[in-house]
Amino acid sequence: MALLYGLLWRFLLLLVHVNRALVSWLRVRLRSWKGRLWERAVAALLLPLALAGFPDQQKKLNRNPDANANPVTGKRTANRRSRWLSDGRSLEKLPVHIGLLVAEEELSYTDIANLVVWCMAVGISYVSVYDHHGIFRKNNSRMLEEIVRQQQDLLGVEGSKCNVEFLTNGTDEHQRHVVSCRPTVKVLSPEDGKQSIVQAAQQICRSVENKERSSQDISVSMLDILLRESKNIPDPELVVKFGPVDSTLGFLPWHIRLTEFISLPSHRNVSYEDLLGALQQYGTCQQRLGQ
């Protein structure tokens, strides 16, 4: 009998422990449920206020598109621009006008666009792009689109606001342009070389024939003035030639009397360091200027 009472007592104690555990569990669940219910109630009250302020925030973002930009990408772009500008300032001398002469059969618009943007980034004011067959000129829209794309990728939004001009038949014609700023890009072809000299000579001959000028007025300086009026750009101080051909291939023959030429193996897969090396080489060269 005593054994039976002992087992009954233990069974009752077990029921008490189970009851206490069940009550504790129910209390925790009830508190959690009340907490979620309270959070939902607060969220329901605050949601209209949040939605009311959203249009103002959206207007701010629309006024400042860069606010949505990736901060890491923006910082990387700013660092690159700062480095390139610093490189340009560190050079002993920087050309005002640089020519990119491509003496290769296979042309890469992306690589040439990268070179153009890098030249802009270091502080060069005029960049001329030339190939012997005039392919870049014939496809000037594609050339322009690639330059603008690379400006945006490498320099960011602000860097894409640079004027791009194309020469057509020896005259300046703005076929398409972005918001004007200092750097100017000109795409040249053989027509802008020897052909421009022929056109200037014909103009002088017509003026003599029409008795607007006399034959004694004809001089080198007169021809020089006519050619510079048609191009409206300074002479290139540096031309970087890409390819194995040792020739200027008709690149502005009248304007390169004092130009320094530096050769690189190819414009394809060219790097910024390749361009910087050419600029550094130009910065250390001594130009006698006819002396």
Side-chain angles (χ1 to χ4, degrees), residues 5-287:
Y5 284 143
L7 292 175
L8 181 60
W9 177 251
R10 290 181 181 180
F11 178 73
L12 292 175
L13 289 176
L14 178 61
L15 290 177
V16 169
H17 286 300
V18 171
N19 182 58
R20 288 179 179 177
L22 182 61
V23 171
S24 299
W25 180 80
L26 289 174
R27 286 178 179 176
V28 171
R29 297 294 296 177
L30 182 61
R31 289 174 184 175
S32 176
W33 180 78
K34 287 183 178 180
R36 288 199 299 270
L37 182 62
W38 173 252
E39 290 175 357
R40 291 176 182 177
V42 172
L45 292 174
L46 295 180
L47 182 60
L49 297 177
L51 292 177
F54 179 76
D56 294 335
Q57 182 66 21
Q58 187 63 34
K59 291 179 181 178
K60 292 180 181 179
L61 292 177
N62 291 337
R63 285 195 299 266
N64 183 16
D66 292 339
N68 286 325
N70 188 332
V72 176
T73 303
K75 185 177 180 180
R76 187 184 303 115
T77 300
N79 291 339
R80 283 191 306 216
R81 295 179 64 180
S82 177
R83 176 204 170 186
W84 294 335
L85 187 60
S86 176
D87 288 341
R89 291 174 177 172
S90 67
L91 296 171
E92 294 187 18
K93 58 180 179 179
L94 188 68
V96 176
H97 180 188
I98 184 173
L100 305 176
L101 193 165
V102 182
E104 299 177 87
E105 294 298 327
E106 296 184 5
L107 304 181
S108 171
Y109 289 85
T110 299
D111 288 316
I112 285 295
N114 285 336
L115 286 165
V116 169
V117 174
W118 291 330
C119 289
M120 291 179 178
V122 298
I124 297 175
S125 300
Y126 293 89
V127 183
S128 294
V129 179
Y130 177 90
D131 70 281
H132 181 55
H133 300 290
I135 296 176
F136 285 135
R137 166 71 73 78
K138 295 174 184 177
N139 300 278
N140 50 19
S141 298
R142 179 181 174 186
M143 185 79 256
L144 173 63
E145 291 174 358
E146 193 63 37
I147 290 174
V148 173
R149 184 182 299 110
Q150 294 305 316
Q151 282 177 314
Q152 295 173 347
D153 291 344
L154 298 176
L155 299 180
V157 176
E158 292 300 321
S160 64
K161 300 177 181 179
C162 289
N163 189 36
V164 178
E165 299 179 10
F166 293 95
L167 292 179
T168 301
N169 297 327
T171 59
D172 283 345
E173 179 178 332
H174 294 257
Q175 301 220 350
R176 179 182 172 189
H177 61 87
V178 192
V179 180
S180 178
C181 68
R182 187 182 178 190
T184 301
V185 180
K186 293 183 179 289
V187 179
L188 305 173
S189 72
E191 295 180 359
D192 303 303
K194 295 179 180 179
Q195 185 64 29
S196 62
I197 299 176
V198 172
Q199 292 174 352
Q202 291 174 343
Q203 183 178 348
I204 293 175
C205 292
R206 282 194 298 267
S207 64
V208 173
E209 182 181 2
N210 297 331
K211 297 183 179 180
E212 298 173 357
R213 292 189 179 96
S214 65
S215 58
Q216 287 76 18
D217 295 332
I218 300 176
S219 64
V220 173
S221 60
M222 178 186 294
L223 181 61
D224 185 68
I225 292 172
L226 290 176
L227 289 171
R228 295 188 185 283
E229 285 179 352
S230 66
K231 291 292 175 289
N232 194 27
I233 56 175
D235 291 349
E237 294 95 340
L238 171 64
V239 170
V240 181
K241 183 184 69 66
F242 302 94
V245 180
D246 293 328
S247 171
T248 62
L249 297 177
F251 176 85
L252 296 181
W254 189 266
H255 298 76
I256 58 175
R257 292 166 292 177
L258 303 176
T259 301
E260 186 74 18
F261 279 78
I262 295 177
S263 297
L264 292 178
S266 175
H267 74 292
R268 300 180 69 84
N269 299 320
V270 69
S271 67
Y272 169 73
E273 285 69 23
D274 295 330
L275 175 65
L276 181 61
L279 293 174
Q280 291 171 340
Q281 182 179 344
Y282 166 76
T284 57
C285 71
Q286 295 183 358
Q287 294 172 290

